[in-house]
């Protein structure tokens, strides 16, 4: 019946060919599967809270403990400066921003291995999975950001200044870029781990190392001039600094660093999409 | 009208040995060995011999030059032994894996059911899983919403739709999963053995649903070891053997071709690996038929014979019955168990004997399925088409008494006639009453 209603001409033709081209991306099909992205985000959300009593509150424990540790180690013991911002706000802003990116990257880097079962049984654009992970990681980010906002408000009541301005509108763009970079790095790693399983063990260490190369526990303003190139090649550096400027009103970033960061982000994302699309065709034969 | 599915020159190669555990360390080791001119420490050991062509090489062709077309609205049954390439063909058609060579053109949306319940999440409710599973299978939320009531009604789970599926019984879970799959809105449906789930009544319902889908003019590719289902559902048959199409044509000749290609009794089984939860534990090596003390592949129907099933279990299985199923033209005639209650099957080799009386089977070809079933717990292992044998055309009085069919059944039957004066039909129509008579029919 449904079939009869549909004129023959409107039937889409699909052609299945060997995995040959590097640029056989099918991004249009991603759009057709947008409902699946929504439903996977919903699944992650429901599944994460279904069994926990505290629910979303768990997300607060991580930044609170991290911040406490950073304050103790880097501020009290190592005496690192914090751009004139109260240390706990400085570290919390850094770790909330970094946390979103690191969370995206780590979860996406296991896309193929954790979904091998589904991927082996049914086809859908595989990029649906990393995108939905990046979106569902936003829940934790939003909750942690809300805590940060509350702390900022309390600080303002105690006589500090509240740097709320039109610049805050740029915040979603920074978060978007972090998400895109997280997806890009995550799908590159997940593609490589289909061949090299032991790379998985390096991911946690690599993320840790990357964090210390990024101004999370120290301000960019304290980076010696001979290390300044790090800020240009590490796209997370201008993003974390921009995040602090927008939220705390303190930080150093140049337009050149932001532009370089965006360019590198897009480059990694494009390379990741190409690699990922290539791997997804042969993945089931190698797992 | 262009064909719904056009497969031309399809090849699919799989490699041995490299599957999975490629690690960076191994690649570096191999590279270092090459640099020093030593033997590669990770060179493949040929533990498994390729089943088909290219013996000794590190790859084999799961599909070798497969071409066929399916017209819109056709229901095509695909049969073949385990490992023949059926599942690979479906995987390539469903885009789960890419072909090595060749091309497939599909007109319309293809939905594949290689498994029911893919992506079900135990913490989500039935309702949430219907939407998620539907979307994974390619439906939009609007399409799922349109079919939602039909899905829930088909599964018979109206009262539990807002319960997390981890609280479902396994039967409820399977019913829900199949219901979603059965209501996919796709022009082409690819189905792999998913009807073999649930209890008997649900299987009938599922088969009925498949028939309805086929009747809607959609194109269906249907893989099954249930030859009876293939026979009743399909308009065409494809027989796949060793990665190539061995026969394509009408369903009945296709099934005949397939049955004729099965291992005859007495030979080692071509595929000793059964399906089912006990598949990793139990294997079968041989099914033999013995008459008058010697092994035969043709049975004289006028004398009794014995079916012998040989196998091995790696671990002891409690309360186990070795089962034998007898099939004719895709229909299961009956099943036998070597013990009704089930007795413990110790680890090691076993051999079960099934004694068949004379005059049980009529001439023709019969297929044997073998398996193990636990009386309690319900775990099982089963090879649907383990071996085949023939019953020769030797007739005697008792066989001649019955006309056709596969089984010779003795049931009491008698007749009353009005002319003997002992009987009148109460509702007899005037004039016709004399010629009316009531008759008992033999079954079979």
């Amino acid at each position: 019946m449904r079939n009869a209603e549909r004129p023959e001409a409107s039937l889409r033709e699909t052609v299945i060919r060997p995995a040959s081209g590097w640029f056989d991306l099918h991004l249009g099909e991603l759009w057709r599967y947008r409902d699946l992205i929504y439903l996977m985000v919903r699944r992650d959300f429901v599944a994460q809270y279904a069994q926990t009593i505290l629910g979303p509150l768990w997300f607060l424990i991580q930044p609170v403990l991290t911040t406490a540790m950073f304050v103790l180690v880097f501020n009290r013991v190592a005496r690192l400066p914090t751009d004139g911002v109260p240390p706990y706000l400085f570290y919390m802003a850094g770790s909330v921003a970094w946390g979103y990116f690191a969370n995206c990257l780590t979860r996406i880097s296991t896309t193929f291995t954790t979904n091998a079962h589904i991927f082996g049984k049914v086809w859908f654009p595989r990029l649906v999975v990393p995108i939905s992970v990046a979106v569902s990681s936003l829940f934790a980010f939003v909750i942690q950001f809300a805590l940060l906002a509350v702390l900022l408000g309390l600080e303002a009541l105690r006589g500090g200044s509240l740097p709320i301005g039109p610049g805050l509108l740029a915040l979603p763009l920074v978060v978007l870029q972090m998400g895109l970079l997280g997806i890009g790095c995550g799908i590159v790693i997940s593609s490589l781990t289909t061949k090299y399983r032991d790379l998985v063990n390096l991911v946690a260490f690599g993320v840790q190392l990357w964090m210390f190369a990024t101004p999370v526990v120290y301000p960019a303003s304290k980076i010696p001039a001979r290390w300044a190139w790090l800020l240009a090649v590490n796209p997370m550096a201008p993003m974390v600094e921009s995040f602090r400027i927008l939220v705390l009103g303190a930080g150093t970033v140049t337009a050149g660093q932001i532009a370089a960061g965006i360019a590198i982000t897009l480059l990694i994302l494009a390379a990741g999409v190409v690699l990922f699309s290539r791997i997804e065709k042969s993945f089931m034969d190698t797992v | 009208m262009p064909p719904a599915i056009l497969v031309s020159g399809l090849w699919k190669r799989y490699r041995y040995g490299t599957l999975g555990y490629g690690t960076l360390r191994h690649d570096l080791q191999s590279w270092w060995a090459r640099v020093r001119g030593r033997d590669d420490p990770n060179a493949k050991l040929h533990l498994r011999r390729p089943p088909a062509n290219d013996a000794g090489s590190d790859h084999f062709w799961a599909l070798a030059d497969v071409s066929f077309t399916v017209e819109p609205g056709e229901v095509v049954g695909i049969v073949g032994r385990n490992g023949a390439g059926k599942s690979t063909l479906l995987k390539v058609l469903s885009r789960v894996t890419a072909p090595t060579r060749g091309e497939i053109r599909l007109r319309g949306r293809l939905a594949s059911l290689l498994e029911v319940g893919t992506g079900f999440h135990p913490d989500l409710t039935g309702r949430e899983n219907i939407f998620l599973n539907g979307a994974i299978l390619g439906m939009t939320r609007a399409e799922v919403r349109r079919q939602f009531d039909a899905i829930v009604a088909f599964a018979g789970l109206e009262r539990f739709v807002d319960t997390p599926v981890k609280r479902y019984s396994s039967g409820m879970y399977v019913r829900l999963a199949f219901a979603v799959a059965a209501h996919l809105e796709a022009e082409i449906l690819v189905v792999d053995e998913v009807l073999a789930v649930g209890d008997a009544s649900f299987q009938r319902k599922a088969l009925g649903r498949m028939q309805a889908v086929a009747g809607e003019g959609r194109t269906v590719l249907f893989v099954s070891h249930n030859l009876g289902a293939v026979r009743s559902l399909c308009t065409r048959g494809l027989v796949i053997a060793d990665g190539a199409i061995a026969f394509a044509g009408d369903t009945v000749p296709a099934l005949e071709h397939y049955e004729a290609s099965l291992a005859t009794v007495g030979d080692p089984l071509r595929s000793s690996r059964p399906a089912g939860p006990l598949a990793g534990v139990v294997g079968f090596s041989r099914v033999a038929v013995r008459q008058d003390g010697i092994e035969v592949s043709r049975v004289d129907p006028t004398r009794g014979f014995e079916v012998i099933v040989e196998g091995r279990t790696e671990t002891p299985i409690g309360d186990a019955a070795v089962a034998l199923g007898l099939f004719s033209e895709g229909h299961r005639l009956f099943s036998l168990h070597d013990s009704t209650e089930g007795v413990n099957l110790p680890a090691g080799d076993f051999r079960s004997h099934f004694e068949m009386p004379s005059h049980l089977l009529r001439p023709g070809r019969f297929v044997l399925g073998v398996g193990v079933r636990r009386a309690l717990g319900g775990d099982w292992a089963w090879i649907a088409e383990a071996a085949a044998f023939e019953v020769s055309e030797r007739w005697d009085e008792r066989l001649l008494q019955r006309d056709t069919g596969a089984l010779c059944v003795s049931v009491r039957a008698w007749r009353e006639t009005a002319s003997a004066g002992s009987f009148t039909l109460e509702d007899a129509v005037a004039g016709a009453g004399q010629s009316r008579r009531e008759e008992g029919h033999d079954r079979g």
Side-chain angles (χ1 to χ4, degrees):
Chain A
M1 183 190 78
R2 282 182 296 276
N3 204 24
E5 286 168 359
R6 216 165 275 178
E8 182 66 21
S10 74
L11 287 183
R12 242 169 3 94
E13 189 182 62
T14 313
V15 182
I16 302 170
R17 287 204 186 92
S20 51
W22 279 96
F23 293 95
D24 200 5
L25 302 181
H26 302 293
L27 294 181
E29 281 169 329
L30 202 54
W31 176 244
R32 279 204 305 118
Y33 275 80
R34 58 193 183 278
D35 280 355
L36 182 55
I37 298 179
Y38 166 81
L39 287 163
M40 282 189 163
V41 170
R42 215 184 117 86
R43 173 198 65 184
D44 287 351
F45 187 68
V46 174
Q48 276 174 6
Y49 305 128
Q51 290 298 306
T52 56
I53 300 166
L54 292 177
L57 287 179
W58 284 111
F59 285 143
L60 298 181
I61 290 173
Q62 195 198 348
V64 166
L65 291 180
T66 312
T67 303
M69 193 179 71
F70 284 177
V71 167
L72 189 71
V73 175
F74 298 108
N75 189 253
R76 295 288 144 80
V77 178
R79 301 275 170 201
L80 286 178
T82 55
D83 268 354
V85 176
Y88 75 98
L89 287 178
F90 178 87
Y91 291 125
M92 185 168 279
S95 64
V96 164
W98 178 262
Y100 172 62
F101 166 74
N103 197 13
C104 282
L105 192 160
T106 316
R107 286 177 63 197
I108 292 171
S109 66
T110 56
T111 299
F112 280 115
T113 36
T114 51
N115 292 285
H117 180 67
I118 297 179
F119 286 4
K121 293 299 179 187
V122 60
W123 181 87
F124 51 85
R126 303 308 190 207
L127 278 172
V128 160
V129 175
I131 292 173
S132 66
V133 168
V135 176
S136 73
S137 298
L138 276 177
F139 294 132
F141 173 77
V142 166
I143 291 163
Q144 292 167 359
F145 189 81
L147 174 67
L148 184 63
V150 169
L151 294 178
L152 274 172
L154 290 177
E155 191 64 28
L157 285 180
R158 278 168 47 191
S161 64
L162 206 54
I164 290 181
L168 222 48
L169 292 173
L171 198 64
L173 292 177
V174 176
V175 177
L176 176 71
Q177 198 196 336
M178 287 194 291
L180 292 178
L181 186 66
I183 292 175
C185 296
I187 60 182
V188 167
I189 295 168
S190 68
S191 304
L192 294 178
T193 46
T194 61
K195 186 150 165 51
Y196 302 115
R197 289 290 175 85
D198 33 6
L199 273 183
V200 175
N201 306 319
L202 290 178
V203 171
F205 179 70
V207 168
Q208 193 90 354
L209 209 63
W210 194 347
M211 187 189 85
F212 288 117
T214 305
V216 174
V217 296
Y218 53 85
S221 56
K222 292 295 170 217
I223 293 180
R226 63 195 169 99
W227 292 106
W229 56 272
L230 265 178
L231 297 177
V233 297
N234 174 7
M236 274 311 286
M239 276 191 264
V240 170
E241 283 296 311
S242 307
F243 186 85
R244 282 214 197 92
I245 291 173
L246 298 175
V247 176
L248 305 178
T252 14
V253 72
T254 66
Q257 286 166 357
I258 291 176
I262 290 174
I264 293 173
T265 300
L266 293 179
L267 205 68
I268 291 175
L269 185 65
V273 168
V274 168
L275 190 62
F276 190 84
S277 306
R278 173 77 177 186
I279 293 289
E280 72 168 45
K281 294 196 186 74
S282 61
F283 158 70
M284 279 325 296
D285 305 340
T286 56
V287 149
Chain B
M1 195 145 62
I5 304 173
L6 178 64
V7 176
S8 41
L10 200 67
W11 296 72
K12 175 69 188 176
R13 182 180 55 203
Y14 280 105
R15 282 179 197 286
Y16 287 111
T18 53
L19 305 185
Y21 300 96
T23 61
L24 196 54
R25 182 169 146 257
H26 282 172
D27 274 15
L28 291 174
Q29 256 180 7
S30 304
W31 172 80
W32 180 234
R34 270 201 309 279
V35 167
R36 294 182 302 166
R38 301 269 180 85
D39 282 344
D40 183 349
N42 299 308
K44 283 122 214 152
L45 302 168
H46 293 286
L47 297 175
R48 277 178 64 197
R49 273 176 60 83
N53 46 41
D54 301 342
S57 72
D58 66 341
H59 64 266
F60 79 103
W61 294 95
L63 293 177
D65 200 13
V66 171
S67 302
F68 63 91
T69 55
V70 179
E71 300 300 326
E74 273 189 326
V75 182
V76 179
I78 301 177
V79 292
R81 284 194 301 274
N82 288 341
K86 305 182 301 273
S87 296
T88 306
L89 177 63
L90 293 201
K91 277 186 177 174
V92 175
L93 274 167
S94 338
R95 304 171 68 179
V96 165
T97 186
T100 311
R101 279 183 228 156
E103 188 184 88
I104 300 172
R105 286 178 180 275
L106 305 169
R107 282 193 68 83
R109 202 151 60 143
L110 178 140
S112 62
L113 260 78
L114 304 190
E115 174 191 72
V116 292
T118 308
F120 264 39
H121 194 290
D123 282 331
L124 299 190
T125 65
R127 180 189 305 275
E128 290 161 337
N129 269 311
I130 289 174
F131 277 94
L132 179 63
N133 187 232
I136 286 177
L137 292 168
M139 283 197 276
T140 62
R141 270 188 292 160
E143 284 170 334
V144 178
R145 214 171 286 128
R146 204 154 56 220
Q147 296 278 356
F148 187 82
D149 292 339
I151 292 171
V152 175
F154 186 86
L157 291 171
E158 290 88 343
R159 284 169 50 216
F160 305 102
V161 77
D162 290 311
T163 307
V165 297
K166 65 180 169 191
R167 305 206 200 291
Y168 281 21
S169 70
S170 60
M172 289 159 75
Y173 186 92
V174 159
R175 258 152 50 206
L176 184 67
F178 183 83
V180 180
H183 291 81
L184 287 173
E185 297 196 354
E187 289 77 26
I188 306 170
L189 206 57
V190 170
V191 184
D192 187 8
E193 202 66 282
V194 289
L195 297 179
V197 297
D199 56 17
S201 75
F202 189 74
Q203 278 188 23
R204 270 196 299 279
K205 201 173 168 185
L207 203 60
R209 174 67 198 169
M210 289 299 299
Q211 242 145 4
V213 166
E216 284 169 14
R218 289 198 260 173
T219 311
V220 182
L221 280 192
F222 180 58
V223 164
S224 182
H225 281 287
N226 181 347
L227 301 186
V230 171
R231 168 184 295 267
S232 62
L233 271 179
C234 301
T235 53
R236 269 183 69 207
L238 279 182
V239 183
I240 298 195
D242 296 331
I245 293 190
F247 185 90
D250 290 335
T251 313
V252 173
L255 290 180
E256 281 169 1
H257 185 280
Y258 173 57
E259 287 188 350
S261 73
L262 293 173
T264 40
V265 288
D267 296 338
L269 298 188
R270 282 179 181 146
S271 165
S272 60
R273 221 186 116 74
L278 290 175
V281 177
V282 183
F284 293 92
S285 48
R286 210 168 70 103
V287 179
V289 169
R290 201 180 279 170
Q291 194 164 39
D292 300 331
I294 50 166
E295 274 190 25
V296 291
S297 59
R298 287 166 73 89
V299 170
D300 178 347
T302 63
R303 285 174 294 135
F305 64 97
E306 188 183 22
V307 178
I308 296 156
V309 176
E310 292 174 351
R312 183 180 170 77
T313 172
E314 297 305 324
T315 55
I317 304 171
D319 300 328
V322 176
L324 179 76
L326 191 81
F327 296 82
S328 167
E329 298 181 338
H331 299 287
R332 188 196 288 250
L333 301 176
F334 56 78
S335 297
L336 299 169
H337 295 87
D338 66 350
S339 64
T340 8
E341 308 281 297
V343 284
N344 292 347
L345 191 62
D349 295 331
F350 61 84
R351 179 185 286 153
S352 292
H353 300 261
F354 299 85
E355 255 180 36
M356 306 286 187
S358 68
H359 300 98
L360 175 71
L361 306 177
R362 286 216 177 73
R365 205 176 160 76
F366 294 86
V367 174
L368 291 169
V370 294
V372 167
R373 185 177 292 278
R374 287 196 61 189
L376 295 170
D379 281 352
W380 52 276
W382 181 251
I383 300 181
E385 296 121 32
F389 68 99
E390 248 175 273
V391 175
S392 61
E393 294 245 0
R394 177 158 170 181
W395 304 87
D396 70 358
E397 280 175 6
R398 281 184 63 189
L399 282 168
L400 281 172
Q401 281 171 7
R402 279 91 191 185
D403 311 322
T404 53
L407 284 183
C408 210
V409 184
S410 289
V411 292
R412 209 164 93 83
W414 70 94
R415 178 194 299 166
E416 295 171 285
T417 55
S419 62
S422 64
F423 165 79
T424 48
L425 285 170
E426 283 175 8
D427 55 348
V429 181
Q434 263 188 332
S435 61
R436 289 278 297 272
R437 62 189 186 186
E438 197 175 68
E439 220 172 321
H441 284 284
D442 288 358
R443 286 180 19 173

